[in-house]
Amino acid sequence: MTYEQITATREAGVLWLRMNRPDKLNALTTTMSHELEDAVRGAGSDDEVRCVVLTGEGRGFCAGQDLAEVSGEDRPDIAEHLADTYHRLVPTMIALPKPIVAAINGVAAGAGLSLALACDVRLASDAARFTQAFVKIGLIPDSGGTHLLPRVVGYAKALELSITGDLIDAAEAHRIGLVNRVIGAEGFADEVRTYAERLSAMPTLAIGETKKLMLEALTLGLPEALSREAAAQSRMGKTDDHQEGLRAFSEKRDPDFRGK
Ligand code: LHQ
């Protein structure tokens, strides 16, 4: 699929989505948001895709909403704009029944940080920086910023970052749990590739179920969580990948999972 403001490239089981407005640090336009949504949705129904990587071209990951698009006389109503863009994209990313990795190559600001938070794993280059930029322009964290950040770093740190707009570096982001791993900028793409390939060789159906169950369980009591685990485990127990996992264990070899 060819897009205007992102590139989508599949390498074996990994779909690489690159936000591609490097001169504007990949600031998000409506077009880019729709293109990302289309690509992520497509990844969900494409059996060949077993893992998605979201990253940015150039020196930025994503500087958030393109402010030119939402300024001036003709600016859209913000609620309508959000409904048309991030309120479609973020839930699509979270519901993707496959792992999605944010490869944060540079600055992630505002809605750009929210997109990273909507991914399952955040790998940061040591050149990455992070800011809940919204407050600096008199806004509140949108695109999931109030919901996702406290779940990842805890309430106190999330609130502090959101009301100060402080720009933090990759080491601090790692210290507070905002990113899973920090990687030297030089070997970043290779290490992300290795990580994504490893995920793409995992039992994809089990990963999709795990994402869904764990998210649901955040708002469930233990009895209901146990009941949903049982139903999902019953489904997983019928997959080819489960049988392959058992065979590989008894034959003392690596499993060859197919995502079925
Ligand atoms: C940009 C942007 C940008 C356009 C850098 N837009 N050009 C939703 C709905 C409705 C309303 C508003 O918001 C939202 C959600 C949001 O995401 S709100 C938050 C929007 N984002 C921001 O406020 C961040 C604005 N950017 C910055 O604070 C800085 O650019 C950061 C800290 C990200 C990076 O700083 P530097 O590394 O010093 O880069 P720079 O500022 O020199 O930017 C490079 C170029 O990118 C520059 O263009 P130019 O033509 O002058 O070279 C910037 O104007 C452009 N750019 N962010 N969001």
Side-chain angles (χ1 to χ4, degrees):
M1 184 77 190
T2 307
Y3 296 107
E4 264 178 57
Q5 298 187 0
I6 67 169
T7 61
T9 324
R10 193 165 63 76
E11 290 177 22
V14 180
L15 179 69
W16 289 77
L17 299 180
R18 294 183 172 87
M19 294 174 276
N20 192 19
R21 301 181 72 223
D23 295 350
K24 298 292 173 195
L25 303 178
N26 304 313
L28 286 150
T29 62
T30 300
T31 298
M32 190 191 286
S33 183
H34 287 171
E35 290 183 350
L36 286 170
E37 182 193 345
D38 182 74
V40 173
R41 206 178 288 287
S45 54
D46 183 346
D47 286 348
E48 302 296 313
V49 176
R50 307 274 300 274
C51 177
V52 175
V53 176
L54 176 66
T55 192
E57 287 290 354
R59 74 176 176 91
F61 174 73
C62 175
Q65 170 64 45
D66 185 318
L67 294 175
E69 192 182 51
V70 292
S71 313
E73 288 294 304
D74 294 339
R75 65 182 182 276
D77 173 78
I78 293 186
E80 283 174 19
H81 180 72
L82 293 175
D84 182 40
T85 54
Y86 312 120
H87 293 195
R88 291 166 42 172
L89 174 58
V90 167
T92 302
M93 292 170 69
I94 289 174
L96 181 71
K98 300 175 185 181
I100 173 162
V101 176
I104 307 158
N105 52 303
V107 71
L113 178 50
S114 297
L115 294 194
L117 290 164
C119 293
D120 304 312
V121 178
R122 281 161 290 284
L123 305 180
S125 143
D126 57 12
R129 294 170 294 152
F130 303 81
T131 169
Q132 283 281 73
F134 310 90
V135 72
K136 296 207 168 151
I137 52 171
L139 295 178
I140 56 98
D142 62 25
S143 49
T146 62
H147 181 93
L148 299 170
L149 189 61
R151 282 170 165 76
V152 174
V153 301
Y155 179 87
K157 201 70 210 175
L159 187 63
E160 185 193 20
L161 290 172
S162 301
I163 65 176
T164 61
D166 280 350
L167 186 74
I168 61 170
D169 64 15
E172 174 67 359
H174 188 239
R175 195 186 68 76
I176 65 173
L178 177 54
V179 300
N180 301 78
R181 201 177 280 190
V182 180
I183 299 164
E186 244 168 59
F188 186 59
D190 286 343
E191 284 219 31
V192 170
R193 182 168 289 103
T194 302
Y195 192 97
E197 281 171 0
R198 183 157 72 88
L199 278 181
S200 73
M202 305 282 279
T204 315
L205 292 175
I207 290 182
E209 289 280 355
T210 303
K211 276 179 72 165
K212 184 165 169 286
L213 288 166
M214 209 171 270
L215 195 65
E216 289 172 356
L218 286 173
T219 55
L220 293 177
L222 183 61
E224 181 60 23
L226 290 174
S227 150
R228 292 189 194 192
E229 283 178 7
Q233 202 67 301
S234 173
R235 288 194 294 278
M236 293 304 101
K238 298 183 181 80
T239 62
D240 292 352
D241 280 350
H242 175 52
Q243 293 310 316
E244 167 60 9
L246 292 176
R247 272 194 307 273
F249 176 75
S250 68
E251 293 166 12
K252 298 189 189 303
R253 61 170 172 80
D254 289 337
D256 177 16
F257 292 125
R258 300 293 172 93
K260 289 183 170 45

